[in-house]
Amino acid sequence: MCTGIRFTDSAGNMFFGRNLDWSCGYGEQVLVTPKDYTRPWAFLEPSTSEHDIIGMGIIGGEKPLYFDCANDAGLAIAGLNFPGFAQYAADAIEGKTNVAAYEFPLWVVSNFTTVDEAEAALQNVAIVDRAPSSQFAVSLLHWIIGDKTRSIVIEYLADGMHIHHNDVDTLTNQPTFDFQRENLRNYISLTPEFPQTATWDKAELTAYGSGSGMRGIPGDYYSPSRFVRAAYLNAHYPTQTSEADNVTRLFKTLGGASMIKGAARMENGDTEFTVYTGGYSANTRTYYYHTYDDPTIKSVALNEHRGGTKPVLVG
């Protein structure tokens, strides 16, 4: 399970982040892929890029494998768990741009600078059921892609590519984004405002304090509940100006949907928790993160790790 959000500061600069929720980590670190690295695509000709890339991931089979990443132009992407719904193409489809599921995040931020560019190209993309090597399984995901103007959700289902305009800049897990977005209508009475005094017969009733307008917001870790909670918190957080205040906003908002060990078990009995929270500031080209066991927010600036021809783990 996972939660992702996007927002902008008072100057229109994007902040983009996610929780990765699972029963364990994978040795993930901050990973920088330089523009001069020759990307060995599974179905396309090898290529370099105009963009340096930073995010959270691992190196597997000598390939950079990203959970989430962003480029120096301010385009970001995160993959979130989507089992039971994601169904990739079994093999390459003639006439399509074929991209393996494991390389999809890197392919997006290597080739595009805006959501508009990515959306136009994705109309002819097939996401193929291909693992980077025999050591890895194929992860069943959907993705949120964001820039300074908007975000979209990419879902590849049995009938092919689905692209959703994400007007709440939020994503969690299954079911589909269409359901999650429609489900918000059940919570339109939620408000951060302090309620007026109510009169019942001869009695005047006043609130105990702030927060009564939020009564009914789901507090569990179920995916639709986290979607409602993250969308509400993201929508109502006051717009911030400074980098520090926006980083605080990012981690506080995602903290409202984070998972604590022992509270929810997976089907196999393992407990699920927020392995890490990570996010990107497009203005400073900085990746921020903290882990479950160390809540101290750390940062890695992309501008300090440019150059070279190989992906490097720096976090």
Tab-separated table of all heavy atoms in Angstrom, residues 250-304:
chain	number	residue	atom	x	y	z
A	250	LEU	N	4.658	18.803	3.316
A	250	LEU	CA	4.737	17.515	2.632
A	250	LEU	C	4.730	16.362	3.632
A	250	LEU	O	3.937	15.410	3.511
A	250	LEU	CB	5.996	17.469	1.777
A	250	LEU	CG	6.227	16.196	0.974
A	250	LEU	CD1	5.239	16.104	-0.183
A	250	LEU	CD2	7.651	16.142	0.444
A	251	PHE	N	5.593	16.450	4.642
A	251	PHE	CA	5.727	15.335	5.578
A	251	PHE	C	4.564	15.263	6.558
A	251	PHE	O	4.162	14.171	6.963
A	251	PHE	CB	7.075	15.418	6.293
A	251	PHE	CG	8.211	14.939	5.432
A	251	PHE	CD1	8.831	15.786	4.524
A	251	PHE	CD2	8.644	13.624	5.491
A	251	PHE	CE1	9.856	15.338	3.712
A	251	PHE	CE2	9.672	13.163	4.680
A	251	PHE	CZ	10.275	14.025	3.785
A	252	LYS	N	4.003	16.394	6.942
A	252	LYS	CA	2.842	16.366	7.833
A	252	LYS	C	1.618	15.797	7.122
A	252	LYS	O	0.847	15.022	7.704
A	252	LYS	CB	2.539	17.766	8.352
A	252	LYS	CG	3.587	18.319	9.308
A	252	LYS	CD	3.687	17.507	10.587
A	252	LYS	CE	4.637	18.148	11.579
A	252	LYS	NZ	4.800	17.341	12.811
A	253	THR	N	1.419	16.188	5.859
A	253	THR	CA	0.267	15.679	5.117
A	253	THR	C	0.378	14.178	4.899
A	253	THR	O	-0.573	13.422	5.141
A	253	THR	CB	0.143	16.410	3.774
A	253	THR	OG1	0.027	17.817	4.006
A	253	THR	CG2	-1.084	15.928	3.009
A	254	LEU	N	1.541	13.727	4.449
A	254	LEU	CA	1.725	12.297	4.256
A	254	LEU	C	1.707	11.548	5.592
A	254	LEU	O	1.289	10.389	5.660
A	254	LEU	CB	3.027	12.029	3.509
A	254	LEU	CG	2.990	12.414	2.027
A	254	LEU	CD1	4.387	12.361	1.418
A	254	LEU	CD2	2.038	11.499	1.256
A	255	GLY	N	2.137	12.216	6.651
A	255	GLY	CA	2.060	11.606	7.974
A	255	GLY	C	0.640	11.311	8.389
A	255	GLY	O	0.389	10.376	9.172
A	256	GLY	N	-0.311	12.089	7.867
A	256	GLY	CA	-1.715	11.849	8.173
A	256	GLY	C	-2.249	10.567	7.559
A	256	GLY	O	-3.351	10.131	7.898
A	257	ALA	N	-1.482	9.965	6.647
A	257	ALA	CA	-1.897	8.707	6.027
A	257	ALA	C	-0.865	7.607	6.223
A	257	ALA	O	-0.958	6.545	5.600
A	257	ALA	CB	-2.139	8.917	4.530
A	258	SER	N	0.117	7.835	7.091
A	258	SER	CA	1.167	6.839	7.291
A	258	SER	C	0.674	5.692	8.165
A	258	SER	O	-0.296	5.828	8.911
A	258	SER	CB	2.411	7.485	7.905
A	258	SER	OG	2.135	7.964	9.200
A	259	MET	N	1.370	4.558	8.081
A	259	MET	CA	0.949	3.337	8.752
A	259	MET	C	1.936	2.959	9.850
A	259	MET	O	3.150	3.019	9.648
A	259	MET	CB	0.830	2.197	7.740
A	259	MET	CG	-0.157	2.477	6.616
A	259	MET	SD	-0.290	1.136	5.402
A	259	MET	CE	-1.114	-0.119	6.390
A	260	ILE	N	1.412	2.561	11.010
A	260	ILE	CA	2.204	2.211	12.175
A	260	ILE	C	2.237	0.693	12.333
A	260	ILE	O	1.221	0.008	12.146
A	260	ILE	CB	1.614	2.877	13.435
A	260	ILE	CG1	1.719	4.401	13.313
A	260	ILE	CG2	2.324	2.388	14.697
A	260	ILE	CD1	1.030	5.147	14.426
A	261	LYS	N	3.385	0.173	12.679
A	261	LYS	CA	3.553	-1.277	12.835
A	261	LYS	C	2.536	-1.846	13.822
A	261	LYS	O	2.303	-1.288	14.902
A	261	LYS	CB	4.964	-1.597	13.328
A	261	LYS	CG	6.051	-1.451	12.268
A	261	LYS	CD	7.413	-1.851	12.813
A	261	LYS	CE	8.502	-1.745	11.753
A	261	LYS	NZ	9.830	-2.132	12.263
A	262	GLY	N	1.963	-2.970	13.437
A	262	GLY	CA	1.054	-3.697	14.314
A	262	GLY	C	-0.402	-3.350	14.136
A	262	GLY	O	-1.276	-4.088	14.588
A	263	ALA	N	-0.701	-2.214	13.472
A	263	ALA	CA	-2.088	-1.777	13.356
A	263	ALA	C	-2.847	-2.494	12.246
A	263	ALA	O	-4.067	-2.616	12.305
A	263	ALA	CB	-2.144	-0.266	13.132
A	264	ALA	N	-2.155	-2.952	11.206
A	264	ALA	CA	-2.828	-3.587	10.068
A	264	ALA	C	-1.934	-4.697	9.514
A	264	ALA	O	-0.764	-4.460	9.223
A	264	ALA	CB	-3.126	-2.548	8.983
A	265	ARG	N	-2.523	-5.871	9.370
A	265	ARG	CA	-1.776	-7.009	8.837
A	265	ARG	C	-2.190	-7.297	7.398
A	265	ARG	O	-3.337	-7.094	7.011
A	265	ARG	CB	-1.978	-8.252	9.706
A	265	ARG	CG	-1.388	-8.096	11.098
A	265	ARG	CD	-1.286	-9.417	11.824
A	265	ARG	NE	-0.749	-9.226	13.169
A	265	ARG	CZ	0.545	-9.119	13.430
A	265	ARG	NH1	1.427	-9.208	12.449
A	265	ARG	NH2	0.965	-8.933	14.680
A	266	MET	N	-1.241	-7.789	6.631
A	266	MET	CA	-1.490	-8.187	5.257
A	266	MET	C	-2.086	-9.589	5.224
A	266	MET	O	-2.175	-10.271	6.256
A	266	MET	CB	-0.178	-8.121	4.472
A	266	MET	CG	0.469	-6.742	4.498
A	266	MET	SD	2.190	-6.721	3.961
A	266	MET	CE	1.996	-7.080	2.218
A	267	GLU	N	-2.488	-10.025	4.037
A	267	GLU	CA	-3.128	-11.335	3.907
A	267	GLU	C	-2.229	-12.460	4.395
A	267	GLU	O	-2.702	-13.457	4.956
A	267	GLU	CB	-3.522	-11.565	2.444
A	267	GLU	CG	-4.340	-12.813	2.205
A	267	GLU	CD	-4.801	-12.950	0.767
A	267	GLU	OE1	-4.379	-12.139	-0.073
A	267	GLU	OE2	-5.578	-13.882	0.482
A	268	ASN	N	-0.915	-12.301	4.235
A	268	ASN	CA	0.010	-13.357	4.654
A	268	ASN	C	0.378	-13.277	6.131
A	268	ASN	O	1.192	-14.062	6.624
A	268	ASN	CB	1.276	-13.326	3.808
A	268	ASN	CG	2.090	-12.047	4.012
A	268	ASN	OD1	1.730	-11.186	4.818
A	268	ASN	ND2	3.182	-11.912	3.285
A	269	GLY	N	-0.203	-12.321	6.848
A	269	GLY	CA	0.042	-12.189	8.272
A	269	GLY	C	1.103	-11.184	8.644
A	269	GLY	O	1.248	-10.833	9.825
A	270	ASP	N	1.890	-10.705	7.670
A	270	ASP	CA	2.910	-9.693	7.959
A	270	ASP	C	2.251	-8.357	8.298
A	270	ASP	O	1.197	-8.013	7.755
A	270	ASP	CB	3.837	-9.498	6.754
A	270	ASP	CG	4.726	-10.699	6.503
A	270	ASP	OD1	4.883	-11.518	7.429
A	270	ASP	OD2	5.248	-10.824	5.376
A	271	THR	N	2.879	-7.598	9.174
A	271	THR	CA	2.361	-6.274	9.499
A	271	THR	C	2.884	-5.265	8.490
A	271	THR	O	4.029	-5.331	8.047
A	271	THR	CB	2.754	-5.861	10.927
A	271	THR	OG1	2.092	-4.652	11.276
A	271	THR	CG2	4.260	-5.654	11.055
A	272	GLU	N	2.035	-4.332	8.090
A	272	GLU	CA	2.390	-3.324	7.098
A	272	GLU	C	2.659	-1.995	7.784
A	272	GLU	O	1.961	-1.623	8.730
A	272	GLU	CB	1.264	-3.181	6.069
A	272	GLU	CG	1.638	-2.350	4.869
A	272	GLU	CD	0.642	-2.499	3.725
A	272	GLU	OE1	-0.394	-3.176	3.910
A	272	GLU	OE2	0.898	-1.933	2.651
A	273	PHE	N	3.664	-1.281	7.317
A	273	PHE	CA	4.015	0.000	7.913
A	273	PHE	C	4.624	0.894	6.843
A	273	PHE	O	4.965	0.440	5.737
A	273	PHE	CB	4.996	-0.200	9.078
A	273	PHE	CG	6.326	-0.801	8.672
A	273	PHE	CD1	7.436	-0.006	8.441
A	273	PHE	CD2	6.470	-2.181	8.530
A	273	PHE	CE1	8.661	-0.558	8.080
A	273	PHE	CE2	7.695	-2.750	8.171
A	273	PHE	CZ	8.785	-1.935	7.939
A	274	THR	N	4.783	2.176	7.159
A	274	THR	CA	5.370	3.117	6.211
A	274	THR	C	6.888	2.986	6.263
A	274	THR	O	7.531	3.491	7.184
A	274	THR	CB	4.919	4.553	6.510
A	274	THR	OG1	3.495	4.627	6.376
A	274	THR	CG2	5.559	5.547	5.547
A	275	VAL	N	7.439	2.299	5.273
A	275	VAL	CA	8.873	2.027	5.224
A	275	VAL	C	9.649	3.341	5.109
A	275	VAL	O	10.640	3.551	5.798
A	275	VAL	CB	9.197	1.094	4.042
A	275	VAL	CG1	10.705	0.862	3.935
A	275	VAL	CG2	8.454	-0.233	4.193
A	276	TYR	N	9.209	4.218	4.212
A	276	TYR	CA	9.810	5.553	4.108
A	276	TYR	C	8.795	6.533	3.559
A	276	TYR	O	7.802	6.152	2.916
A	276	TYR	CB	11.070	5.543	3.232
A	276	TYR	CG	10.825	5.471	1.739
A	276	TYR	CD1	10.570	6.625	0.985
A	276	TYR	CD2	10.849	4.256	1.071
A	276	TYR	CE1	10.342	6.555	-0.384
A	276	TYR	CE2	10.631	4.184	-0.294
A	276	TYR	CZ	10.374	5.335	-1.025
A	276	TYR	OH	10.139	5.266	-2.376
A	277	THR	N	9.026	7.790	3.823
A	277	THR	CA	8.318	8.897	3.195
A	277	THR	C	9.357	9.711	2.445
A	277	THR	O	10.403	10.054	3.004
A	277	THR	CB	7.610	9.774	4.233
A	277	THR	OG1	6.657	8.987	4.947
A	277	THR	CG2	6.905	10.948	3.571
A	278	GLY	N	9.096	9.983	1.172
A	278	GLY	CA	10.053	10.732	0.371
A	278	GLY	C	9.343	11.734	-0.507
A	278	GLY	O	8.166	11.574	-0.837
A	279	GLY	N	10.067	12.800	-0.883
A	279	GLY	CA	9.457	13.804	-1.737
A	279	GLY	C	10.473	14.716	-2.383
A	279	GLY	O	11.629	14.802	-1.955
A	280	TYR	N	10.012	15.433	-3.406
A	280	TYR	CA	10.892	16.228	-4.262
A	280	TYR	C	10.423	17.669	-4.309
A	280	TYR	O	9.235	17.945	-4.502
A	280	TYR	CB	10.880	15.644	-5.670
A	280	TYR	CG	11.809	16.316	-6.649
A	280	TYR	CD1	13.193	16.216	-6.512
A	280	TYR	CD2	11.314	17.030	-7.731
A	280	TYR	CE1	14.055	16.811	-7.425
A	280	TYR	CE2	12.166	17.621	-8.659
A	280	TYR	CZ	13.533	17.516	-8.501
A	280	TYR	OH	14.377	18.107	-9.410
A	281	SER	N	11.364	18.583	-4.142
A	281	SER	CA	11.133	20.006	-4.364
A	281	SER	C	11.673	20.355	-5.740
A	281	SER	O	12.887	20.292	-5.973
A	281	SER	CB	11.842	20.847	-3.298
A	281	SER	OG	11.906	22.208	-3.700
A	282	ALA	N	10.782	20.725	-6.675
A	282	ALA	CA	11.217	21.029	-8.035
A	282	ALA	C	12.033	22.310	-8.098
A	282	ALA	O	12.903	22.451	-8.960
A	282	ALA	CB	10.002	21.135	-8.958
A	283	ASN	N	11.773	23.255	-7.198
A	283	ASN	CA	12.485	24.535	-7.239
A	283	ASN	C	13.958	24.372	-6.882
A	283	ASN	O	14.839	24.879	-7.575
A	283	ASN	CB	11.821	25.526	-6.290
A	283	ASN	CG	12.471	26.893	-6.336
A	283	ASN	OD1	12.773	27.411	-7.404
A	283	ASN	ND2	12.694	27.491	-5.167
A	284	THR	N	14.247	23.637	-5.822
A	284	THR	CA	15.639	23.455	-5.383
A	284	THR	C	16.249	22.155	-5.886
A	284	THR	O	17.417	21.884	-5.618
A	284	THR	CB	15.726	23.473	-3.849
A	284	THR	OG1	14.987	22.362	-3.316
A	284	THR	CG2	15.159	24.775	-3.288
A	285	ARG	N	15.445	21.341	-6.598
A	285	ARG	CA	15.906	20.054	-7.111
A	285	ARG	C	16.486	19.202	-5.987
A	285	ARG	O	17.562	18.609	-6.111
A	285	ARG	CB	16.927	20.248	-8.231
A	285	ARG	CG	16.363	20.958	-9.449
A	285	ARG	CD	17.432	21.313	-10.453
A	285	ARG	NE	16.856	21.942	-11.639
A	285	ARG	CZ	17.567	22.505	-12.602
A	285	ARG	NH1	18.897	22.537	-12.519
A	285	ARG	NH2	16.978	23.049	-13.643
A	286	THR	N	15.729	19.133	-4.901
A	286	THR	CA	16.170	18.418	-3.704
A	286	THR	C	15.186	17.305	-3.370
A	286	THR	O	13.968	17.512	-3.399
A	286	THR	CB	16.286	19.376	-2.514
A	286	THR	OG1	17.212	20.412	-2.835
A	286	THR	CG2	16.759	18.636	-1.261
A	287	TYR	N	15.727	16.134	-3.049
A	287	TYR	CA	14.914	15.017	-2.605
A	287	TYR	C	15.022	14.920	-1.087
A	287	TYR	O	16.121	14.874	-0.530
A	287	TYR	CB	15.387	13.713	-3.244
A	287	TYR	CG	14.448	12.551	-3.006
A	287	TYR	CD1	13.375	12.316	-3.857
A	287	TYR	CD2	14.622	11.705	-1.914
A	287	TYR	CE1	12.500	11.252	-3.631
A	287	TYR	CE2	13.757	10.646	-1.680
A	287	TYR	CZ	12.692	10.429	-2.539
A	287	TYR	OH	11.833	9.379	-2.309
A	288	TYR	N	13.883	14.892	-0.411
A	288	TYR	CA	13.804	14.791	1.042
A	288	TYR	C	13.205	13.433	1.416
A	288	TYR	O	12.337	12.915	0.711
A	288	TYR	CB	12.909	15.888	1.610
A	288	TYR	CG	13.417	17.294	1.381
A	288	TYR	CD1	13.037	18.018	0.246
A	288	TYR	CD2	14.253	17.909	2.314
A	288	TYR	CE1	13.493	19.312	0.041
A	288	TYR	CE2	14.712	19.216	2.115
A	288	TYR	CZ	14.331	19.905	0.980
A	288	TYR	OH	14.783	21.189	0.773
A	289	TYR	N	13.641	12.883	2.558
A	289	TYR	CA	13.093	11.590	2.962
A	289	TYR	C	13.348	11.334	4.439
A	289	TYR	O	14.237	11.921	5.055
A	289	TYR	CB	13.713	10.456	2.137
A	289	TYR	CG	15.186	10.210	2.430
A	289	TYR	CD1	15.586	9.171	3.276
A	289	TYR	CD2	16.175	11.014	1.884
A	289	TYR	CE1	16.926	8.950	3.561
A	289	TYR	CE2	17.518	10.799	2.156
A	289	TYR	CZ	17.886	9.769	2.991
A	289	TYR	OH	19.206	9.559	3.282
A	290	HIS	N	12.529	10.476	5.005
A	290	HIS	CA	12.864	9.854	6.289
A	290	HIS	C	12.324	8.437	6.297
A	290	HIS	O	11.474	8.070	5.477
A	290	HIS	CB	12.393	10.664	7.503
A	290	HIS	CG	10.905	10.739	7.710
A	290	HIS	ND1	10.076	9.653	7.758
A	290	HIS	CD2	10.091	11.813	7.932
A	290	HIS	CE1	8.832	10.019	7.995
A	290	HIS	NE2	8.811	11.335	8.078
A	291	THR	N	12.826	7.614	7.199
A	291	THR	CA	12.433	6.213	7.282
A	291	THR	C	11.617	5.972	8.540
A	291	THR	O	11.530	6.829	9.428
A	291	THR	CB	13.669	5.300	7.296
A	291	THR	OG1	14.415	5.545	8.499
A	291	THR	CG2	14.559	5.572	6.084
A	292	TYR	N	11.039	4.785	8.606
A	292	TYR	CA	10.221	4.445	9.767
A	292	TYR	C	11.038	4.525	11.055
A	292	TYR	O	10.568	5.051	12.069
A	292	TYR	CB	9.644	3.040	9.612
A	292	TYR	CG	8.628	2.693	10.678
A	292	TYR	CD1	7.280	2.970	10.489
A	292	TYR	CD2	9.014	2.103	11.879
A	292	TYR	CE1	6.338	2.671	11.465
A	292	TYR	CE2	8.091	1.791	12.858
A	292	TYR	CZ	6.750	2.083	12.655
A	292	TYR	OH	5.829	1.805	13.630
A	293	ASP	N	12.246	4.013	11.025
A	293	ASP	CA	13.058	3.943	12.242
A	293	ASP	C	13.817	5.220	12.543
A	293	ASP	O	14.338	5.381	13.649
A	293	ASP	CB	14.053	2.780	12.122
A	293	ASP	CG	13.353	1.433	12.108
A	293	ASP	OD1	12.367	1.268	12.845
A	293	ASP	OD2	13.782	0.554	11.344
A	294	ASP	N	13.908	6.126	11.582
A	294	ASP	CA	14.603	7.392	11.795
A	294	ASP	C	13.767	8.525	11.212
A	294	ASP	O	13.812	8.795	10.013
A	294	ASP	CB	15.988	7.371	11.142
A	294	ASP	CG	16.784	8.636	11.434
A	294	ASP	OD1	16.255	9.538	12.120
A	294	ASP	OD2	17.936	8.731	10.970
A	295	PRO	N	12.985	9.215	12.046
A	295	PRO	CA	12.093	10.264	11.544
A	295	PRO	C	12.787	11.571	11.179
A	295	PRO	O	12.133	12.513	10.733
A	295	PRO	CB	11.126	10.479	12.715
A	295	PRO	CG	11.922	10.123	13.926
A	295	PRO	CD	12.824	9.001	13.501
A	296	THR	N	14.101	11.638	11.353
A	296	THR	CA	14.836	12.842	10.956
A	296	THR	C	14.772	13.008	9.439
A	296	THR	O	15.122	12.097	8.694
A	296	THR	CB	16.309	12.751	11.383
A	296	THR	OG1	16.373	12.504	12.783
A	296	THR	CG2	17.046	14.040	11.054
A	297	ILE	N	14.325	14.162	8.974
A	297	ILE	CA	14.225	14.405	7.542
A	297	ILE	C	15.611	14.708	6.986
A	297	ILE	O	16.285	15.635	7.431
A	297	ILE	CB	13.254	15.566	7.242
A	297	ILE	CG1	11.849	15.207	7.729
A	297	ILE	CG2	13.239	15.875	5.741
A	297	ILE	CD1	10.855	16.360	7.624
A	298	LYS	N	16.024	13.920	6.012
A	298	LYS	CA	17.319	14.099	5.348
A	298	LYS	C	17.080	14.635	3.947
A	298	LYS	O	15.986	14.515	3.397
A	298	LYS	CB	18.078	12.775	5.309
A	298	LYS	CG	18.364	12.183	6.688
A	298	LYS	CD	19.072	10.856	6.565
A	298	LYS	CE	19.421	10.290	7.949
A	298	LYS	NZ	18.213	9.999	8.749
A	299	SER	N	18.116	15.209	3.339
A	299	SER	CA	17.963	15.776	2.010
A	299	SER	C	19.178	15.478	1.150
A	299	SER	O	20.304	15.373	1.652
A	299	SER	CB	17.746	17.292	2.088
A	299	SER	OG	18.882	17.944	2.632
A	300	VAL	N	18.939	15.343	-0.154
A	300	VAL	CA	19.996	15.172	-1.145
A	300	VAL	C	19.686	16.111	-2.301
A	300	VAL	O	18.614	16.020	-2.920
A	300	VAL	CB	20.086	13.727	-1.655
A	300	VAL	CG1	21.178	13.611	-2.716
A	300	VAL	CG2	20.347	12.758	-0.512
A	301	ALA	N	20.597	17.021	-2.606
A	301	ALA	CA	20.410	17.977	-3.692
A	301	ALA	C	20.930	17.382	-4.991
A	301	ALA	O	22.094	16.964	-5.082
A	301	ALA	CB	21.129	19.283	-3.386
A	302	LEU	N	20.076	17.346	-6.004
A	302	LEU	CA	20.471	16.786	-7.296
A	302	LEU	C	21.647	17.547	-7.893
A	302	LEU	O	22.552	16.952	-8.489
A	302	LEU	CB	19.279	16.816	-8.256
A	302	LEU	CG	19.518	16.327	-9.688
A	302	LEU	CD1	20.041	14.896	-9.702
A	302	LEU	CD2	18.234	16.432	-10.499
A	303	ASN	N	21.677	18.865	-7.731
A	303	ASN	CA	22.743	19.671	-8.334
A	303	ASN	C	24.130	19.319	-7.813
A	303	ASN	O	25.134	19.616	-8.456
A	303	ASN	CB	22.472	21.157	-8.098
A	303	ASN	CG	21.266	21.658	-8.877
A	303	ASN	OD1	20.792	20.990	-9.790
A	303	ASN	ND2	20.770	22.831	-8.525
A	304	GLU	N	24.187	18.693	-6.633
A	304	GLU	CA	25.477	18.330	-6.055
A	304	GLU	C	25.962	16.958	-6.517
A	304	GLU	O	27.060	16.532	-6.148
A	304	GLU	CB	25.384	18.352	-4.528
A	304	GLU	CG	25.097	19.738	-3.959
A	304	GLU	CD	24.937	19.717	-2.447
A	304	GLU	OE1	25.094	18.622	-1.852
A	304	GLU	OE2	24.638	20.780	-1.877
